[in-house]
Amino acid sequence: MYTKLKPILIVSFILVCNIAFAQSKKLVKSFKLGAISYQLYESFKTSKSDQDTVFYLLQRLGKAKIIAKEIKAVIEKKQGDTLAASTYKINKSSFVFYRSEGNKFYHRIYTLQKTGLLSYKSSLIPKVKEPSAPTMPLPVAAPDYDHSGHPTSVDIMPEFPGGMNALRKFISNNLHYPYEAQENEVSGTVYAKFVITKDGSIANIEIERKLGFGCDQEVIRILKRMPKWSPGKLKGQAVNYLYRLPVIFSLQ
């Protein structure tokens, strides 16, 4: 008699657990990576400890198996303080969880492979520092574009309004670290050159040494936003001048 009841008791237990589990989760997002559909759920779990936890549950559409279980929030019961919190971002072929806990930040990346499976990578995100102030630019003389001369040097260098410190401040305040570069932990230097024309405008912007991941485009964008400079002068006359400027992107 005992052996006959045992399977029934086990099945009943599984059914109860599945029903309770289904009731505890709520659909947050349906999305696709490539041609594969996924669903993201939110699950709240109470505990006898001093903290409650909310989870993200990632599942492939039509499959019962949970692919990923990530913490959405850890809440301290007495004060209601959030001890840890996560957000997420859906990319073309990856799904990223961003988690903050105290002074630490993590990202956990699930990337769709050619096989249709998801690979997983977790790493600590260093605190992102705004692009460093540019190092001292290296000006290079250029022919006068009105063909009034071909100076190899000038008597008075072109100057950004307010001087070099103002140039550093302008770049630091306006240049944004591209998300793609942050996500791929890219840092380095973009070398740009441009002409400061006779009226102080910026023209002929080129990237001599590229960094990629959106950094080159961001340098071009900020150069186009610059106010007019005081032009370089030779023998009292304003001339066009080719200027080289390195801009550093640094993750710390």
Side-chain angles (χ1 to χ4, degrees):
M1 185 69 180
Y2 174 73
T3 55
K4 291 182 180 179
L5 287 174
K6 189 176 179 180
I8 298 174
L9 290 172
I10 292 174
V11 172
S12 298
F13 177 74
I14 292 172
L15 288 174
V16 170
C17 289
N18 284 342
I19 292 169
F21 176 76
Q23 289 175 342
S24 68
K25 67 178 185 178
K26 177 182 70 174
L27 181 64
V28 176
K29 186 78 173 178
S30 296
F31 62 96
K32 282 188 174 183
L33 297 181
I36 301 176
S37 298
Y38 295 89
Q39 290 180 317
L40 183 68
Y41 292 89
E42 182 181 299
S43 174
F44 179 74
K45 179 181 179 181
T46 58
S47 67
K48 295 180 180 180
S49 68
D50 296 332
Q51 302 170 359
D52 284 336
T53 306
V54 183
F55 292 98
Y56 282 126
L57 305 176
L58 181 63
Q59 291 180 268
R60 187 166 174 171
L61 184 64
K63 304 290 184 180
K65 184 179 178 181
I66 296 172
I67 299 173
K69 183 178 181 180
E70 299 284 346
I71 291 175
K72 178 183 179 181
V74 178
I75 303 166
E76 198 274 326
K77 290 182 179 179
K78 283 188 178 181
Q79 303 296 328
D81 295 332
T82 301
L83 305 179
S86 296
T87 58
Y88 64 87
K89 180 176 175 61
I90 302 169
N91 300 314
K92 185 176 180 180
S93 60
S94 65
F95 190 87
V96 187
F97 291 97
Y98 295 91
R99 179 179 169 188
S100 63
E101 187 172 350
N103 293 323
K104 295 182 180 179
F105 298 86
Y106 302 87
H107 62 187
R108 302 160 73 83
I109 306 173
Y110 295 83
T111 304
L112 183 66
Q113 304 299 305
K114 291 181 179 179
T115 58
L117 301 176
L118 293 176
S119 64
Y120 167 74
K121 177 184 176 183
S122 177
S123 60
L124 175 68
I125 302 177
K127 184 180 179 182
V128 177
K129 189 179 78 172
E130 286 300 313
S132 305
T135 57
M136 185 67 70
L138 306 173
V140 177
D144 186 296
Y145 286 88
D146 289 336
H147 303 289
S148 56
H150 299 275
T152 57
S153 62
V154 291
D155 301 324
I156 300 176
M157 288 289 297
E159 185 177 46
F160 185 85
M164 186 57 63
N165 288 335
L167 173 60
R168 292 190 180 98
K169 185 176 181 181
F170 174 84
I171 293 178
S172 179
N173 290 342
N174 291 279
L175 196 65
H176 304 300
Y177 215 122
Y179 173 79
E180 185 182 2
Q182 294 183 41
E183 185 176 353
N184 289 276
E185 300 180 10
V186 172
S187 60
T189 304
V190 175
Y191 290 84
K193 68 178 181 180
F194 52 93
V195 173
I196 302 170
T197 65
K198 292 179 180 181
D199 69 355
S201 301
I202 302 298
N204 296 18
I205 299 171
E206 295 181 33
I207 301 299
E208 286 190 304
R209 188 182 300 175
K210 298 180 179 181
L211 188 58
F213 296 91
C215 296
D216 310 324
Q217 292 86 344
E218 180 60 17
V219 171
I220 291 172
R221 183 189 71 82
I222 204 66
L223 290 176
K224 288 181 176 181
R225 292 188 59 187
M226 279 188 174
K228 285 189 175 183
W229 292 47
S230 296
K233 291 186 178 181
L234 179 63
K235 297 180 181 179
Q237 299 294 317
V239 293
N240 295 325
Y241 204 83
L242 184 65
Y243 214 82
R244 284 194 173 93
L245 183 69
V247 180
I248 301 170
F249 291 82
S250 175
L251 287 168
Q252 286 190 350

